[in-house]
Every structure is written in C-alpha cells, then in structure tokens.
Amino acid sequence: MSFFNFLSNTLGTVIGAVLDTVTAVVETVRDAYDAFVGKGGAVKEAAADESRRKHDRLREVNDEIMHLRNRAQSNGRLSDQERRRWQDLRQERDDLMRVLHHAKEVSAAEKILDNEELITKVEVNLDTTHVLQYNVFADSLGKACPKCARQMKLQWPRDQPVPGPRDFFWGCTGWYFVRGGIRACNHKERLTRSDYALMMDTSAPELSLTADEFGEIVSNPGTAEIVTQRIDDLKSDLSRRKEGVELATCPVHGEHMVLKKKGNPTGLLDTYFLACPYWLPWDQGCAFIEKLKSGSQLAALLKSETGRGVL
Ligand SMILES: [Zn+2]
Ligand SMILES: [Zn+2]
C-alpha cells in the first residue's frame, strides 16, 4: 500500500478510487500530507533539492556498477573485494530508489492538492481509452507485485496501435530485470473494475474529446508537424540540460528516462521513445524503453514538461 493509501502515479492521477468522491480522496491525501509535514518530512523545494542530490548519487552508483560489470565481462572474474563492492553498491541503489520512490509520492500528493479544483473522476470506456493511455508512461506509485514486491506498471500490448480498454494490464517491472537471459519476474494482472475509475486533472483540452476525435486530430499532417517541432525543441532543451523526463524513471536503474528519436520513422506515432540512460541499441544495455506510440502519451509528456499538451 502506498504512502497515501491510494494507488496513483507521478502525474498525480489517483487510480481505483471507484467508491470515493474527489473531495473524500483529496481530504485523505491532505491528512496524510499534513501528518508527514508535522513529522518534519521534506516537501516542495526542499524535497526537490533532496531528490536531485539522491539522483546525482544514484548516477555515480550506477556508473560504478556498470564499470564493475564491464570489468567482470572483460576479465571473466572479479576479485573478492570487487564482488563485495558490487554488492554494497546494489544495496545502496535499492536504498536510494526507495527514498526516491517516497519523494515521488510526496510530489504526486502535492500535484493533487495544488490542482484540487481541476480534478474530476473519469470512468474509462471506449470513448475515454485515451485518458487511460495518457497515464501509461508515468511511474505507478503504490502498486506492488504480489510475487516479488517490485512496482507494477500500466501496460498494453506493444503491437497494438489503438488499444481498447480491455487491452491494458498491469505488468511487473521485474520483467525488465534480466540476468543471464532470465527475467526476474513476469507477473501480469488484468485491470480490476475499479482500475477503470481515474481521478485526475482533466483540464488538458485533449482529455475533453473522445478517443476517436483526438485520434483524428493527431493524424492530421499539419498537427503532426507542429507536434514534431515542439517535441524536437523539448528534446534539445532536455539534452542541453542533460536531463531526463520528470514523469518516468527506469525501474532497474531508477534514473529519469531520456527522450530519443528514431532514425527512419514512418510517422509521428513511430518517432519518439523514452529510454533508460543505460539503454544501448541492439540489446546491449538496459532493456527498459517506452515507445511513445499514442497522441495521449505525447500530450502527457508535453503537458508535464512544457505546461501545454498537444492541443
Ligand atoms: Zn514481480
Ligand atoms: Zn535502466
């Protein structure tokens, strides 16, 4: 169970609160948040500063782990001292990721409290599938795998360009932990009925359209051109600042995902993807990538990073 007792994500969307009213959920979040502040927990800018420091340390830890891994591969073995160091680093990475996960929950709570009057309840059906899709690449908070306790993530089959509501599922992020060709966990779950009830800031104009209407707008060549330009600008801006995207982190390395562009895309929805900073082409690095294959994902990305979605 999450810190705030609701399943949510880094966008500040609450998932599964089917029986509650928005007011009741906001009040519960406020109580938990106030109690956290009362205990001296870091919030707002202080929390953001602390997260930045932890992320800097996480990068050093990941770099050293990679260095040891490369040494093990080229030398065939590590000394006892190096092996112990590797173990300590993995432990430190787990600890850092736990603290950062908690900071994400605090920040999600702040998004909920700051946007209280914009939050509405959305029942996901065929007309509003894009609203669910809007939420898929943001990190899930509070949905632990019953088999391995890693976080689970909202997914849909990657070969499906236009998924219906029933195509979505929860997949364990242990799927991305690969050692010796074996995945640490492949647990999946169907969405429950309550998972189809979302509470979120629906002020983005694309969310007031139906999935079909929005799909048509995004496939318009003129719109696609403008969106491409805006995402290209965002990409160069992020790369100049050497930053990843705020909403999503790699479940294995804990670092913010990097916005990337494909070489020969067939269209707007085949152009961009998010990759772990340790991702390399041809399966040589971290396996975690997230293809941005829907207008909703692009809208969520632009809204979160620039304040304005696709429309
Ligand atoms: Zn699992
Ligand atoms: Zn990674």
Side-chain angles (χ1 to χ4, degrees):
M1 194 59 91
S2 143
F3 176 57
F4 291 104
N5 288 329
F6 289 107
L7 175 55
S8 64
N9 66 24
T10 46
L11 271 169
T13 298
V14 173
I15 303 164
V18 68
L19 297 175
D20 300 276
T21 62
V22 172
T23 316
V25 169
V26 171
E27 281 318 303
T28 313
V29 171
R30 195 187 316 281
D31 288 349
Y33 185 80
D34 289 348
F36 177 69
V37 174
K39 278 190 277 177
V43 293
K44 307 240 158 154
E45 261 316 297
D49 280 346
E50 203 177 309
S51 287
R52 266 190 292 274
R53 278 198 300 277
K54 301 277 182 207
H55 269 292
D56 288 346
R57 177 61 195 149
L58 185 60
R59 172 154 301 186
E60 290 170 2
V61 168
N62 278 326
D63 284 346
E64 201 179 336
I65 290 175
M66 280 297 162
H67 171 74
L68 287 171
R69 195 189 123 188
N70 292 341
R71 265 182 72 85
Q73 269 170 4
S74 55
N75 296 359
R77 62 182 294 277
L78 291 175
S79 68
D80 287 347
Q81 196 188 353
E82 285 170 325
R83 247 199 310 275
R84 270 197 302 277
R85 178 70 186 149
W86 194 342
Q87 242 153 38
D88 289 347
L89 288 166
R90 291 169 74 105
Q91 182 61 52
E92 186 179 355
R93 179 164 73 184
D94 287 349
D95 294 343
L96 284 166
M97 282 173 65
R98 216 174 354 262
V99 175
L100 285 166
H101 187 83
H102 190 265
K104 284 188 234 172
E105 291 183 328
V106 173
S107 151
E110 284 168 352
K111 281 181 193 158
I112 293 167
L113 297 176
D114 291 348
N115 298 306
E116 184 183 346
E117 66 285 357
L118 300 173
I119 297 174
T120 48
K121 201 163 168 174
V122 184
E123 295 274 351
V124 176
N125 55 36
L126 281 174
D127 279 342
T128 50
T129 316
H130 62 308
V131 179
L132 191 55
Q133 216 167 13
Y134 191 89
N135 283 284
V136 290
F137 78 80
D139 290 347
S140 305
L141 305 169
K143 175 80 179 172
C145 171
K147 290 207 171 137
C148 74
R150 290 183 179 90
Q151 285 297 308
M152 297 193 77
K153 213 179 145 359
L154 210 47
Q155 315 256 18
W156 84 87
R158 304 229 170 169
D159 52 358
Q160 202 132 359
V162 188
R166 303 283 154 206
D167 293 322
F168 290 84
F169 61 93
W170 292 106
C172 178
T173 53
W175 198 82
Y176 298 100
F177 289 72
V178 187
R179 236 202 260 176
I182 295 168
R183 300 193 182 272
C185 183
N186 54 15
H187 181 67
K188 285 181 189 176
E189 280 176 25
R190 298 175 75 98
L191 267 60
T192 61
R193 195 180 119 34
S194 70
D195 289 334
Y196 289 100
L198 305 177
M199 277 181 200
M200 60 185 286
D201 172 355
T202 50
S203 61
E206 39 277 75
L207 299 179
S208 61
L209 302 169
T210 66
D212 280 350
E213 286 166 344
F214 181 52
E216 251 167 61
I217 291 176
V218 175
S219 58
N220 172 295
T223 313
E225 200 176 311
I226 296 167
V227 173
T228 304
Q229 188 57 55
R230 288 190 55 217
I231 302 179
D232 283 350
D233 289 348
L234 170 63
K235 185 173 170 289
S236 24
D237 188 36
L238 287 168
S239 113
R240 196 167 42 243
R241 288 188 273 132
K242 294 192 170 54
E243 280 178 16
V245 304
E246 182 61 33
L247 290 183
T249 53
C250 170
V252 182
H253 298 98
E255 294 190 30
H256 289 289
M257 304 282 280
V258 180
L259 179 58
K260 300 211 175 247
K261 189 170 184 172
K262 258 176 80 171
N264 291 302
T266 58
L268 172 62
L269 301 183
D270 177 49
T271 305
Y272 300 98
F273 62 102
L274 300 174
C276 171
Y278 296 96
W279 172 86
L280 288 169
W282 318 114
D283 286 339
Q284 292 174 70
C286 177
F288 193 62
I289 63 162
E290 185 90 61
K291 293 179 184 171
L292 300 175
K293 295 204 304 184
S294 68
S296 296
Q297 288 168 295
L298 299 177
L301 173 72
L302 282 171
K303 172 97 165 116
S304 139
E305 293 291 333
T306 71
R308 203 184 118 217
V310 160
L311 301 180

